[in-house]
């Protein structure tokens, strides 16, 4: 019996050993402070970039360069997710589903159609949901940390308002490509010279016909490197000051640079440009009631409260303004009966903006979720026409904020990356 037991044990161990050899475990590729980047994450991102490149007919650099860029993006995402955990930033499932529904609506498809499209592209819906959740969380982290680094003076606003008035609301827009040949941390004069030499070499390659997107993926330290350096369409007043001064008067397909900044040397390409356009401003005047879920108030109860408020107002049993004063968690509008005043709907978060855009005058929305909580909104009025002085100042402020936010985001990400403990495992 003992011999039989030993033989059985030996056979079981051998079977387990054979099975273990057949299972390939994931491995840690990078240690990032208190977190890790897995090899599977890098391979998945590289595979996604390659798949998108095939679809768009875009050339790619070597696998090594592509892997380096993918690793850097995942390191930055990992650091932001760690910060989100420390800050207690979370995105609930109802908020996530509402965001995805908005994405589907903007693309003109139903949720079922979106699921089918993802399946055709080999992307699971669960993976897609979690990617959207990460984007929402990292967006909140960036806003929370970068916003406090931005200061806009009244003089800057006045100067931009005058410029807008001189241009008569007509603004040129540029579709920009961007390559940043970055400095190392605390660069020496020798580092600056070496970086300039690399930037000159990159510009030489581009002038000799090299593909801009391929060079950007291989060589750029900019935030859009994996997108081929494509910064999209930008209003001249919304782009970084350094770029705005450089692109004026330039033509389509023209290369600009190298331009030095605190981050390194920039090379720009004007992929396309749009001529003078007349901007017509549509403003909305709305009011809302905000209910924030908490430990003692669940998502479901917060939503139900607003459903009850809506029914009471529609039945004439309650007044919207009175309910806002008593219950709204938005201190800026609660005392005014929830009224937000005249504003460009673009200043609101996407879910709030999109809800206002589909409401008729005096219509009350169904409860909806944003990053701030659950809202009940009513569109009081809408107007289209020339901007008043106040709206011009708000628009100038937003343009300046967007410009500085983009600049400070790059600085903040670079500082966070430099201060973190990063170990790339071979």
């Amino acid at each position: 019996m003992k011999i039989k037991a030993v033989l059985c044990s030996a056979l079981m161990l051998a079977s387990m050993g054979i099975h273990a050899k057949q299972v390939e475990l994931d491995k840690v590729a990078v240690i990032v402070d208190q977190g890790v980047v897995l090899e599977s994450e890098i391979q998945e991102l590289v595979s996604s970039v390659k798949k998108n490149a095939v679809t768009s007919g875009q050339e790619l650099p070597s696998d090594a360069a592509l892997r380096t860029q993918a690793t850097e993006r995942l390191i930055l995402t990992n650091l932001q997710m760690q910060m989100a955990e420390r800050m207690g930033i979370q995105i609930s499932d109802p908020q996530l589903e509402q965001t995805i529904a908005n994405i589907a609506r903007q693309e003109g498809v139903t949720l079922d159609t979106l699921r089918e499209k993802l399946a055709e592209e080999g992307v699971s819906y669960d993976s897609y949901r979690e990617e959207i959740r990460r984007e929402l969380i990292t967006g909140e982290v960036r806003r929370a940390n970068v916003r406090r680094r931005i200061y806009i003076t009244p003089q800057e606003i006045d100067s931009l308002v005058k410029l807008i008035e001189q241009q008569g609301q007509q603004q040129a827009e540029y579709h920009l490509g961007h390559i940043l040949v970055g400095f190392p941390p605390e660069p020496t004069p020798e580092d600056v010279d070496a970086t300039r030499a690399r930037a000159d070499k990159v510009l030489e390659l581009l002038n000799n016909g090299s593909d801009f997107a391929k060079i950007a993926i291989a060589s750029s330290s900019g935030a859009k490197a994996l997108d081929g350096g494509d910064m999209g369409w930008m209003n001249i007043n919304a782009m970084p000051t350094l770029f705005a001064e450089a692109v004026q008067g330039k033509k389509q397909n023209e290369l600009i640079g190298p331009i030095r900044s605190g981050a390194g040397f920039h090379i720009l390409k004007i992929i396309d440009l749009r001529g003078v356009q007349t901007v017509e401003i549509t403003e909305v005047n709305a009011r809302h009631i905000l209910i924030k879920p908490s430990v003692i108030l669940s998502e479901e109860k917060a939503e139900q409260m607003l459903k009850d408020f809506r029914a009471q107002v529609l039945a004439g049993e309650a007044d919207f303004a009175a309910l806002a004063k008593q219950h709204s968690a938005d201190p800026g509008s609660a005392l005014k009966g929830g009224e937000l005043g005249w504003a460009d709907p673009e200043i609101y978060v996407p879910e709030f903006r999109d809800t206002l855009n589909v409401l008729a005058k005096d219509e009350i929305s169904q409860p909806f979720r944003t990053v701030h909580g659950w809202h009940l909104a009513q569109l009081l009025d809408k107007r289209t026409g020339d901007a008043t002085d106040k709206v011009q100042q708000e628009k100038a402020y937003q343009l300046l904020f967007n410009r500085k936010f983009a600049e400070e985001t790059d600085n903040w990400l670079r500082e966070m990356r430099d201060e973190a403990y990063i170990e790339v495992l071979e």
Side-chain angles (χ1 to χ4, degrees):
M1 291 294 292
K2 288 181 179 180
I3 293 172
K4 287 183 179 180
V6 170
L7 286 172
C8 287
S9 298
L11 288 171
M12 288 175 65
L13 288 171
S15 175
M16 290 172 64
I18 292 170
H19 180 68
K21 290 178 183 178
Q22 294 174 343
V23 177
E24 184 177 343
L25 298 178
D26 203 352
K27 66 178 182 178
V28 174
V30 189
I31 298 174
V32 185
D33 271 351
Q34 303 301 313
V36 297
V37 173
L38 298 177
E39 178 65 27
S40 60
E41 294 178 284
I42 298 175
Q43 292 181 4
E44 184 177 347
L45 180 52
V46 169
S47 175
S48 175
V49 172
K50 286 184 175 180
K51 186 182 298 183
N52 291 337
V54 170
T55 303
S56 61
Q58 178 181 309
E59 291 186 32
L60 290 173
S62 67
D63 285 353
L66 193 57
R67 179 184 173 87
T68 298
Q69 291 286 5
T71 302
E72 279 302 309
R73 175 176 287 189
L74 289 169
I75 287 172
L76 291 176
T77 300
N78 197 290
L79 286 171
Q80 291 174 85
M81 293 298 290
Q82 290 183 49
M83 185 171 290
E85 187 173 356
R86 293 193 296 270
M87 295 171 67
I89 295 176
Q90 296 179 338
I91 300 297
S92 67
D93 285 341
Q95 182 183 349
L96 180 62
E97 292 298 340
Q98 184 174 11
T99 300
I100 294 174
N102 289 337
I103 292 171
R105 185 166 62 251
Q106 289 168 7
E107 294 184 0
V109 298
T110 64
L111 271 176
D112 289 339
T113 304
L114 179 62
R115 285 174 179 263
E116 291 172 4
K117 289 176 64 177
L118 291 170
E120 290 172 2
E121 296 170 5
V123 179
S124 74
Y125 184 67
D126 288 341
S127 297
Y128 176 77
R129 286 178 79 256
E130 292 312 306
E131 180 60 29
I132 297 298
R133 194 195 301 271
R134 277 191 295 271
E135 289 181 9
L136 292 172
I137 291 174
T138 54
E140 282 297 298
V141 171
R142 285 194 297 273
R143 280 187 287 273
N145 285 277
V146 176
R147 186 184 290 116
R148 58 180 176 228
R149 297 164 63 112
I150 297 173
Y151 176 68
I152 298 172
T153 67
Q155 292 78 11
E156 289 178 291
I157 295 174
D158 290 342
S159 296
L160 185 51
V161 167
K162 289 177 182 176
L163 178 61
I164 291 173
E165 289 174 347
Q166 290 170 1
Q167 295 175 339
Q169 303 284 343
Q170 296 173 340
Q171 306 289 327
E173 291 187 321
Y174 295 80
H175 186 184
L176 291 183
H178 173 240
I179 293 174
L180 169 62
V181 183
F183 291 141
E186 300 180 5
T188 64
E190 291 76 17
D191 292 329
V192 173
D193 291 341
T195 305
R196 174 59 191 251
R198 292 200 304 274
D200 288 338
K201 181 63 177 176
V202 168
L203 187 59
E204 180 183 349
L205 290 171
L206 294 171
N207 281 322
N208 290 334
S210 293
D211 181 78
F212 190 96
K214 184 176 180 180
I215 295 293
I217 294 174
S219 305
S220 180
S221 302
K224 296 291 186 179
L226 274 181
D227 301 316
D230 191 342
M231 297 182 71
W233 285 98
M234 300 183 73
N235 182 285
I236 196 167
N237 289 314
M239 65 180 66
T241 308
L242 197 66
F243 297 177
E245 294 173 352
V247 301
Q248 292 189 54
K250 300 298 190 294
K251 299 177 181 179
Q252 184 177 354
N253 294 322
E254 194 165 347
L255 293 168
I256 305 166
I259 309 167
R260 181 175 174 177
S261 75
F265 287 93
H266 304 264
I267 296 171
L268 303 176
K269 180 180 180 180
I270 300 180
I271 300 171
D272 199 359
L273 53 85
R274 291 198 273 239
V276 176
Q277 294 183 346
T278 300
V279 179
E280 192 176 62
I281 296 178
T282 299
E283 300 172 286
V284 294
N285 187 15
R287 60 183 177 181
H288 78 135
I289 301 171
L290 171 64
I291 302 296
K292 293 187 175 183
S294 64
V295 176
I296 59 174
L297 182 65
S298 67
E299 294 276 349
E300 292 75 15
K301 287 184 178 179
E303 182 181 10
Q304 188 58 50
M305 278 182 65
L306 293 178
K307 286 182 177 179
D308 294 341
F309 290 164
R310 184 176 188 273
Q312 292 168 22
V313 172
L314 293 177
E317 300 170 357
D319 177 67
F320 194 106
L323 290 172
K325 289 178 181 179
Q326 182 178 356
H327 299 284
S328 181
D330 177 9
S333 67
L335 292 177
K336 295 180 288 186
E339 189 164 343
L340 298 166
W342 288 102
D344 183 342
E346 293 300 321
I347 71 170
Y348 299 125
V349 293
E351 297 85 358
F352 201 97
R353 176 200 64 204
D354 294 342
T355 299
L356 293 180
N357 284 340
V358 298
L359 290 178
K361 183 179 176 181
D362 295 326
E363 185 180 359
I364 300 175
S365 73
Q366 294 290 341
F368 61 96
R369 186 68 157 85
T370 74
V371 293
H372 304 296
W374 283 93
H375 303 258
L376 189 68
Q378 182 180 27
L379 179 65
L380 298 175
D381 205 353
K382 182 182 291 188
R383 68 186 182 191
T384 301
D386 293 335
T388 63
D389 291 342
K390 178 182 176 182
V391 173
Q392 285 180 331
Q393 287 189 338
E394 290 175 349
K395 180 179 179 180
Y397 177 89
Q398 195 62 43
L399 288 168
L400 289 166
F401 181 88
N402 291 343
R403 174 194 297 175
K404 294 191 175 187
F405 187 87
E407 294 172 345
E408 287 300 322
T409 296
D410 284 343
N411 293 335
W412 173 70
L413 288 172
R414 188 170 62 254
E415 290 169 12
M416 181 173 61
R417 171 69 167 81
D418 291 343
E419 293 169 3
Y421 173 76
I422 309 293
E423 183 181 352
V424 179
L425 304 179
E426 297 297 335

mmCIF file with all atom_site columns, all heavy atoms in Angstrom, residues 73-91:
data_model
loop_
_atom_site.group_PDB
_atom_site.id
_atom_site.type_symbol
_atom_site.label_atom_id
_atom_site.label_alt_id
_atom_site.label_comp_id
_atom_site.label_asym_id
_atom_site.label_entity_id
_atom_site.label_seq_id
_atom_site.pdbx_PDB_ins_code
_atom_site.Cartn_x
_atom_site.Cartn_y
_atom_site.Cartn_z
_atom_site.occupancy
_atom_site.B_iso_or_equiv
_atom_site.pdbx_formal_charge
_atom_site.auth_seq_id
_atom_site.auth_comp_id
_atom_site.auth_asym_id
_atom_site.auth_atom_id
_atom_site.pdbx_PDB_model_num
ATOM 1   N N   . ARG A 1 73 ? 4.177   55.408 -22.162 1.00 0.00 ? 73 ARG A N   1
ATOM 2   C CA  . ARG A 1 73 ? 2.772   55.777 -21.955 1.00 0.00 ? 73 ARG A CA  1
ATOM 3   C C   . ARG A 1 73 ? 2.191   55.001 -20.787 1.00 0.00 ? 73 ARG A C   1
ATOM 4   O O   . ARG A 1 73 ? 1.473   55.570 -19.949 1.00 0.00 ? 73 ARG A O   1
ATOM 5   C CB  . ARG A 1 73 ? 1.956   55.517 -23.219 1.00 0.00 ? 73 ARG A CB  1
ATOM 6   C CG  . ARG A 1 73 ? 0.462   55.782 -23.010 1.00 0.00 ? 73 ARG A CG  1
ATOM 7   C CD  . ARG A 1 73 ? -0.354  55.619 -24.266 1.00 0.00 ? 73 ARG A CD  1
ATOM 8   N NE  . ARG A 1 73 ? -0.142  56.722 -25.193 1.00 0.00 ? 73 ARG A NE  1
ATOM 9   C CZ  . ARG A 1 73 ? -0.884  56.902 -26.292 1.00 0.00 ? 73 ARG A CZ  1
ATOM 10  N NH1 . ARG A 1 73 ? -1.858  56.050 -26.584 1.00 0.00 ? 73 ARG A NH1 1
ATOM 11  N NH2 . ARG A 1 73 ? -0.646  57.921 -27.094 1.00 0.00 ? 73 ARG A NH2 1
ATOM 12  N N   . LEU A 1 74 ? 2.489   53.724 -20.681 1.00 0.00 ? 74 LEU A N   1
ATOM 13  C CA  . LEU A 1 74 ? 1.941   52.904 -19.595 1.00 0.00 ? 74 LEU A CA  1
ATOM 14  C C   . LEU A 1 74 ? 2.516   53.311 -18.248 1.00 0.00 ? 74 LEU A C   1
ATOM 15  O O   . LEU A 1 74 ? 1.825   53.245 -17.223 1.00 0.00 ? 74 LEU A O   1
ATOM 16  C CB  . LEU A 1 74 ? 2.225   51.423 -19.883 1.00 0.00 ? 74 LEU A CB  1
ATOM 17  C CG  . LEU A 1 74 ? 1.416   50.832 -21.042 1.00 0.00 ? 74 LEU A CG  1
ATOM 18  C CD1 . LEU A 1 74 ? 1.946   49.459 -21.429 1.00 0.00 ? 74 LEU A CD1 1
ATOM 19  C CD2 . LEU A 1 74 ? -0.068  50.743 -20.675 1.00 0.00 ? 74 LEU A CD2 1
ATOM 20  N N   . ILE A 1 75 ? 3.772   53.739 -18.217 1.00 0.00 ? 75 ILE A N   1
ATOM 21  C CA  . ILE A 1 75 ? 4.368   54.229 -16.974 1.00 0.00 ? 75 ILE A CA  1
ATOM 22  C C   . ILE A 1 75 ? 3.608   55.459 -16.482 1.00 0.00 ? 75 ILE A C   1
ATOM 23  O O   . ILE A 1 75 ? 3.247   55.557 -15.305 1.00 0.00 ? 75 ILE A O   1
ATOM 24  C CB  . ILE A 1 75 ? 5.870   54.559 -17.177 1.00 0.00 ? 75 ILE A CB  1
ATOM 25  C CG1 . ILE A 1 75 ? 6.681   53.266 -17.306 1.00 0.00 ? 75 ILE A CG1 1
ATOM 26  C CG2 . ILE A 1 75 ? 6.400   55.403 -16.015 1.00 0.00 ? 75 ILE A CG2 1
ATOM 27  C CD1 . ILE A 1 75 ? 8.130   53.493 -17.704 1.00 0.00 ? 75 ILE A CD1 1
ATOM 28  N N   . LEU A 1 76 ? 3.353   56.404 -17.377 1.00 0.00 ? 76 LEU A N   1
ATOM 29  C CA  . LEU A 1 76 ? 2.642   57.618 -16.995 1.00 0.00 ? 76 LEU A CA  1
ATOM 30  C C   . LEU A 1 76 ? 1.206   57.312 -16.555 1.00 0.00 ? 76 LEU A C   1
ATOM 31  O O   . LEU A 1 76 ? 0.710   57.884 -15.587 1.00 0.00 ? 76 LEU A O   1
ATOM 32  C CB  . LEU A 1 76 ? 2.631   58.610 -18.154 1.00 0.00 ? 76 LEU A CB  1
ATOM 33  C CG  . LEU A 1 76 ? 3.993   59.236 -18.503 1.00 0.00 ? 76 LEU A CG  1
ATOM 34  C CD1 . LEU A 1 76 ? 3.870   60.124 -19.735 1.00 0.00 ? 76 LEU A CD1 1
ATOM 35  C CD2 . LEU A 1 76 ? 4.535   60.050 -17.332 1.00 0.00 ? 76 LEU A CD2 1
ATOM 36  N N   . THR A 1 77 ? 0.552   56.400 -17.275 1.00 0.00 ? 77 THR A N   1
ATOM 37  C CA  . THR A 1 77 ? -0.808  56.013 -16.882 1.00 0.00 ? 77 THR A CA  1
ATOM 38  C C   . THR A 1 77 ? -0.807  55.362 -15.512 1.00 0.00 ? 77 THR A C   1
ATOM 39  O O   . THR A 1 77 ? -1.663  55.651 -14.662 1.00 0.00 ? 77 THR A O   1
ATOM 40  C CB  . THR A 1 77 ? -1.410  55.049 -17.927 1.00 0.00 ? 77 THR A CB  1
ATOM 41  O OG1 . THR A 1 77 ? -1.465  55.694 -19.197 1.00 0.00 ? 77 THR A OG1 1
ATOM 42  C CG2 . THR A 1 77 ? -2.811  54.612 -17.519 1.00 0.00 ? 77 THR A CG2 1
ATOM 43  N N   . ASN A 1 78 ? 0.169   54.486 -15.262 1.00 0.00 ? 78 ASN A N   1
ATOM 44  C CA  . ASN A 1 78 ? 0.275   53.797 -13.979 1.00 0.00 ? 78 ASN A CA  1
ATOM 45  C C   . ASN A 1 78 ? 0.487   54.788 -12.838 1.00 0.00 ? 78 ASN A C   1
ATOM 46  O O   . ASN A 1 78 ? -0.147  54.689 -11.775 1.00 0.00 ? 78 ASN A O   1
ATOM 47  C CB  . ASN A 1 78 ? 1.435   52.788 -14.035 1.00 0.00 ? 78 ASN A CB  1
ATOM 48  C CG  . ASN A 1 78 ? 1.356   51.761 -12.917 1.00 0.00 ? 78 ASN A CG  1
ATOM 49  O OD1 . ASN A 1 78 ? 1.573   52.096 -11.758 1.00 0.00 ? 78 ASN A OD1 1
ATOM 50  N ND2 . ASN A 1 78 ? 1.063   50.511 -13.260 1.00 0.00 ? 78 ASN A ND2 1
ATOM 51  N N   . LEU A 1 79 ? 1.359   55.762 -13.047 1.00 0.00 ? 79 LEU A N   1
ATOM 52  C CA  . LEU A 1 79 ? 1.608   56.772 -12.018 1.00 0.00 ? 79 LEU A CA  1
ATOM 53  C C   . LEU A 1 79 ? 0.342   57.583 -11.727 1.00 0.00 ? 79 LEU A C   1
ATOM 54  O O   . LEU A 1 79 ? 0.047   57.893 -10.564 1.00 0.00 ? 79 LEU A O   1
ATOM 55  C CB  . LEU A 1 79 ? 2.729   57.710 -12.466 1.00 0.00 ? 79 LEU A CB  1
ATOM 56  C CG  . LEU A 1 79 ? 4.153   57.138 -12.430 1.00 0.00 ? 79 LEU A CG  1
ATOM 57  C CD1 . LEU A 1 79 ? 5.126   58.093 -13.116 1.00 0.00 ? 79 LEU A CD1 1
ATOM 58  C CD2 . LEU A 1 79 ? 4.596   56.881 -10.991 1.00 0.00 ? 79 LEU A CD2 1
ATOM 59  N N   . GLN A 1 80 ? -0.404  57.915 -12.770 1.00 0.00 ? 80 GLN A N   1
ATOM 60  C CA  . GLN A 1 80 ? -1.637  58.681 -12.566 1.00 0.00 ? 80 GLN A CA  1
ATOM 61  C C   . GLN A 1 80 ? -2.702  57.851 -11.856 1.00 0.00 ? 80 GLN A C   1
ATOM 62  O O   . GLN A 1 80 ? -3.451  58.370 -11.015 1.00 0.00 ? 80 GLN A O   1
ATOM 63  C CB  . GLN A 1 80 ? -2.160  59.182 -13.915 1.00 0.00 ? 80 GLN A CB  1
ATOM 64  C CG  . GLN A 1 80 ? -1.283  60.253 -14.536 1.00 0.00 ? 80 GLN A CG  1
ATOM 65  C CD  . GLN A 1 80 ? -1.743  60.615 -15.931 1.00 0.00 ? 80 GLN A CD  1
ATOM 66  O OE1 . GLN A 1 80 ? -2.628  61.437 -16.111 1.00 0.00 ? 80 GLN A OE1 1
ATOM 67  N NE2 . GLN A 1 80 ? -1.140  59.997 -16.938 1.00 0.00 ? 80 GLN A NE2 1
ATOM 68  N N   . MET A 1 81 ? -2.772  56.555 -12.162 1.00 0.00 ? 81 MET A N   1
ATOM 69  C CA  . MET A 1 81 ? -3.742  55.696 -11.486 1.00 0.00 ? 81 MET A CA  1
ATOM 70  C C   . MET A 1 81 ? -3.383  55.518 -10.014 1.00 0.00 ? 81 MET A C   1
ATOM 71  O O   . MET A 1 81 ? -4.266  55.459 -9.149  1.00 0.00 ? 81 MET A O   1
ATOM 72  C CB  . MET A 1 81 ? -3.808  54.333 -12.188 1.00 0.00 ? 81 MET A CB  1
ATOM 73  C CG  . MET A 1 81 ? -4.393  54.373 -13.600 1.00 0.00 ? 81 MET A CG  1
ATOM 74  S SD  . MET A 1 81 ? -6.113  54.955 -13.642 1.00 0.00 ? 81 MET A SD  1
ATOM 75  C CE  . MET A 1 81 ? -6.957  53.549 -12.882 1.00 0.00 ? 81 MET A CE  1
ATOM 76  N N   . GLN A 1 82 ? -2.085  55.447 -9.696  1.00 0.00 ? 82 GLN A N   1
ATOM 77  C CA  . GLN A 1 82 ? -1.662  55.381 -8.300  1.00 0.00 ? 82 GLN A CA  1
ATOM 78  C C   . GLN A 1 82 ? -2.044  56.660 -7.562  1.00 0.00 ? 82 GLN A C   1
ATOM 79  O O   . GLN A 1 82 ? -2.504  56.626 -6.416  1.00 0.00 ? 82 GLN A O   1
ATOM 80  C CB  . GLN A 1 82 ? -0.153  55.160 -8.205  1.00 0.00 ? 82 GLN A CB  1
ATOM 81  C CG  . GLN A 1 82 ? 0.303   53.777 -8.648  1.00 0.00 ? 82 GLN A CG  1
ATOM 82  C CD  . GLN A 1 82 ? 1.796   53.590 -8.471  1.00 0.00 ? 82 GLN A CD  1
ATOM 83  O OE1 . GLN A 1 82 ? 2.353   53.876 -7.417  1.00 0.00 ? 82 GLN A OE1 1
ATOM 84  N NE2 . GLN A 1 82 ? 2.459   53.107 -9.522  1.00 0.00 ? 82 GLN A NE2 1
ATOM 85  N N   . MET A 1 83 ? -1.867  57.794 -8.219  1.00 0.00 ? 83 MET A N   1
ATOM 86  C CA  . MET A 1 83 ? -2.239  59.065 -7.608  1.00 0.00 ? 83 MET A CA  1
ATOM 87  C C   . MET A 1 83 ? -3.749  59.142 -7.409  1.00 0.00 ? 83 MET A C   1
ATOM 88  O O   . MET A 1 83 ? -4.233  59.653 -6.392  1.00 0.00 ? 83 MET A O   1
ATOM 89  C CB  . MET A 1 83 ? -1.752  60.226 -8.463  1.00 0.00 ? 83 MET A CB  1
ATOM 90  C CG  . MET A 1 83 ? -1.998  61.595 -7.847  1.00 0.00 ? 83 MET A CG  1
ATOM 91  S SD  . MET A 1 83 ? -1.201  62.946 -8.747  1.00 0.00 ? 83 MET A SD  1
ATOM 92  C CE  . MET A 1 83 ? 0.521   62.618 -8.365  1.00 0.00 ? 83 MET A CE  1
ATOM 93  N N   . ALA A 1 84 ? -4.512  58.624 -8.374  1.00 0.00 ? 84 ALA A N   1
ATOM 94  C CA  . ALA A 1 84 ? -5.971  58.619 -8.252  1.00 0.00 ? 84 ALA A CA  1
ATOM 95  C C   . ALA A 1 84 ? -6.407  57.811 -7.031  1.00 0.00 ? 84 ALA A C   1
ATOM 96  O O   . ALA A 1 84 ? -7.323  58.215 -6.303  1.00 0.00 ? 84 ALA A O   1
ATOM 97  C CB  . ALA A 1 84 ? -6.596  58.035 -9.518  1.00 0.00 ? 84 ALA A CB  1
ATOM 98  N N   . GLU A 1 85 ? -5.735  56.705 -6.802  1.00 0.00 ? 85 GLU A N   1
ATOM 99  C CA  . GLU A 1 85 ? -6.068  55.878 -5.630  1.00 0.00 ? 85 GLU A CA  1
ATOM 100 C C   . GLU A 1 85 ? -5.784  56.635 -4.336  1.00 0.00 ? 85 GLU A C   1
ATOM 101 O O   . GLU A 1 85 ? -6.585  56.594 -3.390  1.00 0.00 ? 85 GLU A O   1
ATOM 102 C CB  . GLU A 1 85 ? -5.263  54.575 -5.674  1.00 0.00 ? 85 GLU A CB  1
ATOM 103 C CG  . GLU A 1 85 ? -5.655  53.587 -4.591  1.00 0.00 ? 85 GLU A CG  1
ATOM 104 C CD  . GLU A 1 85 ? -4.970  52.240 -4.752  1.00 0.00 ? 85 GLU A CD  1
ATOM 105 O OE1 . GLU A 1 85 ? -4.253  52.051 -5.751  1.00 0.00 ? 85 GLU A OE1 1
ATOM 106 O OE2 . GLU A 1 85 ? -5.149  51.389 -3.866  1.00 0.00 ? 85 GLU A OE2 1
ATOM 107 N N   . ARG A 1 86 ? -4.649  57.350 -4.304  1.00 0.00 ? 86 ARG A N   1
ATOM 108 C CA  . ARG A 1 86 ? -4.319  58.132 -3.103  1.00 0.00 ? 86 ARG A CA  1
ATOM 109 C C   . ARG A 1 86 ? -5.316  59.274 -2.896  1.00 0.00 ? 86 ARG A C   1
ATOM 110 O O   . ARG A 1 86 ? -5.620  59.643 -1.762  1.00 0.00 ? 86 ARG A O   1
ATOM 111 C CB  . ARG A 1 86 ? -2.903  58.698 -3.204  1.00 0.00 ? 86 ARG A CB  1
ATOM 112 C CG  . ARG A 1 86 ? -1.809  57.644 -3.177  1.00 0.00 ? 86 ARG A CG  1
ATOM 113 C CD  . ARG A 1 86 ? -0.438  58.268 -2.951  1.00 0.00 ? 86 ARG A CD  1
ATOM 114 N NE  . ARG A 1 86 ? -0.030  59.141 -4.042  1.00 0.00 ? 86 ARG A NE  1
ATOM 115 C CZ  . ARG A 1 86 ? 0.650   58.731 -5.105  1.00 0.00 ? 86 ARG A CZ  1
ATOM 116 N NH1 . ARG A 1 86 ? 0.968   57.455 -5.230  1.00 0.00 ? 86 ARG A NH1 1
ATOM 117 N NH2 . ARG A 1 86 ? 1.000   59.585 -6.049  1.00 0.00 ? 86 ARG A NH2 1
ATOM 118 N N   . MET A 1 87 ? -5.803  59.834 -3.995  1.00 0.00 ? 87 MET A N   1
ATOM 119 C CA  . MET A 1 87 ? -6.747  60.951 -3.909  1.00 0.00 ? 87 MET A CA  1
ATOM 120 C C   . MET A 1 87 ? -8.188  60.488 -3.722  1.00 0.00 ? 87 MET A C   1
ATOM 121 O O   . MET A 1 87 ? -9.080  61.304 -3.493  1.00 0.00 ? 87 MET A O   1
ATOM 122 C CB  . MET A 1 87 ? -6.648  61.803 -5.187  1.00 0.00 ? 87 MET A CB  1
ATOM 123 C CG  . MET A 1 87 ? -5.309  62.493 -5.374  1.00 0.00 ? 87 MET A CG  1
ATOM 124 S SD  . MET A 1 87 ? -5.152  63.273 -7.022  1.00 0.00 ? 87 MET A SD  1
ATOM 125 C CE  . MET A 1 87 ? -6.400  64.580 -6.891  1.00 0.00 ? 87 MET A CE  1
ATOM 126 N N   . GLY A 1 88 ? -8.416  59.189 -3.841  1.00 0.00 ? 88 GLY A N   1
ATOM 127 C CA  . GLY A 1 88 ? -9.767  58.657 -3.684  1.00 0.00 ? 88 GLY A CA  1
ATOM 128 C C   . GLY A 1 88 ? -10.666 58.902 -4.881  1.00 0.00 ? 88 GLY A C   1
ATOM 129 O O   . GLY A 1 88 ? -11.892 58.923 -4.755  1.00 0.00 ? 88 GLY A O   1
ATOM 130 N N   . ILE A 1 89 ? -10.069 59.071 -6.077  1.00 0.00 ? 89 ILE A N   1
ATOM 131 C CA  . ILE A 1 89 ? -10.855 59.316 -7.286  1.00 0.00 ? 89 ILE A CA  1
ATOM 132 C C   . ILE A 1 89 ? -11.324 57.986 -7.870  1.00 0.00 ? 89 ILE A C   1
ATOM 133 O O   . ILE A 1 89 ? -10.509 57.101 -8.142  1.00 0.00 ? 89 ILE A O   1
ATOM 134 C CB  . ILE A 1 89 ? -10.031 60.084 -8.327  1.00 0.00 ? 89 ILE A CB  1
ATOM 135 C CG1 . ILE A 1 89 ? -9.692  61.492 -7.807  1.00 0.00 ? 89 ILE A CG1 1
ATOM 136 C CG2 . ILE A 1 89 ? -10.782 60.195 -9.660  1.00 0.00 ? 89 ILE A CG2 1
ATOM 137 C CD1 . ILE A 1 89 ? -8.796  62.280 -8.717  1.00 0.00 ? 89 ILE A CD1 1
ATOM 138 N N   . GLN A 1 90 ? -12.621 57.845 -8.048  1.00 0.00 ? 90 GLN A N   1
ATOM 139 C CA  . GLN A 1 90 ? -13.199 56.630 -8.622  1.00 0.00 ? 90 GLN A CA  1
ATOM 140 C C   . GLN A 1 90 ? -14.265 57.003 -9.645  1.00 0.00 ? 90 GLN A C   1
ATOM 141 O O   . GLN A 1 90 ? -14.845 58.091 -9.586  1.00 0.00 ? 90 GLN A O   1
ATOM 142 C CB  . GLN A 1 90 ? -13.817 55.755 -7.525  1.00 0.00 ? 90 GLN A CB  1
ATOM 143 C CG  . GLN A 1 90 ? -12.806 55.223 -6.502  1.00 0.00 ? 90 GLN A CG  1
ATOM 144 C CD  . GLN A 1 90 ? -13.482 54.377 -5.436  1.00 0.00 ? 90 GLN A CD  1
ATOM 145 O OE1 . GLN A 1 90 ? -14.684 54.490 -5.201  1.00 0.00 ? 90 GLN A OE1 1
ATOM 146 N NE2 . GLN A 1 90 ? -12.709 53.520 -4.796  1.00 0.00 ? 90 GLN A NE2 1
ATOM 147 N N   . ILE A 1 91 ? -14.511 56.101 -10.561 1.00 0.00 ? 91 ILE A N   1
ATOM 148 C CA  . ILE A 1 91 ? -15.587 56.271 -11.541 1.00 0.00 ? 91 ILE A CA  1
ATOM 149 C C   . ILE A 1 91 ? -16.552 55.108 -11.352 1.00 0.00 ? 91 ILE A C   1
ATOM 150 O O   . ILE A 1 91 ? -16.179 53.946 -11.531 1.00 0.00 ? 91 ILE A O   1
ATOM 151 C CB  . ILE A 1 91 ? -15.035 56.284 -12.986 1.00 0.00 ? 91 ILE A CB  1
ATOM 152 C CG1 . ILE A 1 91 ? -14.048 57.438 -13.181 1.00 0.00 ? 91 ILE A CG1 1
ATOM 153 C CG2 . ILE A 1 91 ? -16.184 56.382 -13.983 1.00 0.00 ? 91 ILE A CG2 1
ATOM 154 C CD1 . ILE A 1 91 ? -14.630 58.813 -13.012 1.00 0.00 ? 91 ILE A CD1 1
#
